[in-house]
Amino acid sequence: MRILIMNGPNLNRLGKREPDIYGHETLADVEAMIETYANEHGIDVSFIQSNYEGALIDAIHDAADEGIDGIVINPGAFTHYSIALRDALAGVDVPAIEVHISNVHTREPFREKSVTAPVCIGQMTGFGTSGYVLALEAFRLRNEKETMK
Ligand code: DQA
């Protein structure tokens, strides 16, 4: 199983950025944690972080063309308004799980709306950086059930 882990704008600043909300781990720490889990479970992971909407959209198209099995995406603030990102996810035949480190439902009202979540198979929000691993686990269990059919 090949999974692409995508992080959107400002997530390259993890560790420095509002640590009271997002914690002290850097993106490199988080990617290392994901990699460890993936290796333990025979999952092949690749990573992309970009502050640019178009780069994320291109990565979604490329993932589809390469036959990637799933996408774990934290779209950052694009979650709340990027119809282009939503259309990219909707337009490919690759299941995606949305992740938010913070609980977007306990913060400012504008964070409660996700334009991307409706085109994802599910969402993890508020579990800190463990949300990425929980999303991988969700893909793993889903895959297990599908191969049992
Ligand atoms: C976030 C929540 C978003 O509202 C915010 O814009 C982010 C990070 C999270 O991981 O909690 O950049 O996606």
Side-chain angles (χ1 to χ4, degrees):
M1 187 166 59
R2 290 191 301 154
I3 305 288
L4 174 64
I5 313 290
M6 302 186 64
N7 278 290
N10 300 307
L11 291 158
N12 56 315
R13 302 281 299 167
L14 278 181
K16 297 188 185 110
R17 170 193 185 198
E18 301 181 272
D20 45 317
I21 297 173
Y22 299 113
H24 293 277
E25 285 165 280
T26 65
L27 184 59
D29 294 335
V30 175
E31 289 182 347
M33 171 187 71
I34 295 168
E35 186 103 56
T36 302
Y37 175 88
N39 287 342
E40 281 167 8
H41 293 88
I43 303 168
D44 186 350
V45 279
S46 50
F47 300 95
I48 179 180
Q49 185 280 325
S50 181
N51 296 321
Y52 300 93
E53 195 178 24
L56 295 169
I57 292 168
D58 285 347
I60 292 167
H61 297 166
D62 291 348
D65 292 344
E66 286 163 21
I68 291 277
D69 298 301
I71 293 173
V72 171
I73 183 165
N74 182 345
F78 288 147
T79 305
H80 313 299
Y81 67 91
S82 176
I83 306 297
L85 197 58
R86 174 198 167 109
D87 285 352
L89 290 167
V92 294
D93 202 12
V94 184
I97 298 179
E98 182 167 304
V99 170
H100 298 289
I101 297 168
S102 64
N103 183 348
V104 289
H105 301 291
T106 60
R107 300 180 62 193
E108 301 93 330
F110 66 83
R111 291 188 205 277
E112 283 205 57
K113 181 168 177 58
S114 169
V115 298
T116 43
V119 294
C120 292
I121 58 172
Q123 188 195 49
M124 303 286 173
T125 185
F127 296 104
T129 57
S130 303
Y132 294 94
V133 171
L134 292 170
L136 265 193
E137 178 66 6
F139 269 127
R140 199 180 67 78
L141 293 172
R142 189 172 180 268
N143 189 48
E144 218 170 69
K145 282 199 177 155
E146 269 171 23
T147 52
M148 271 167 22
K149 273 186 200 157

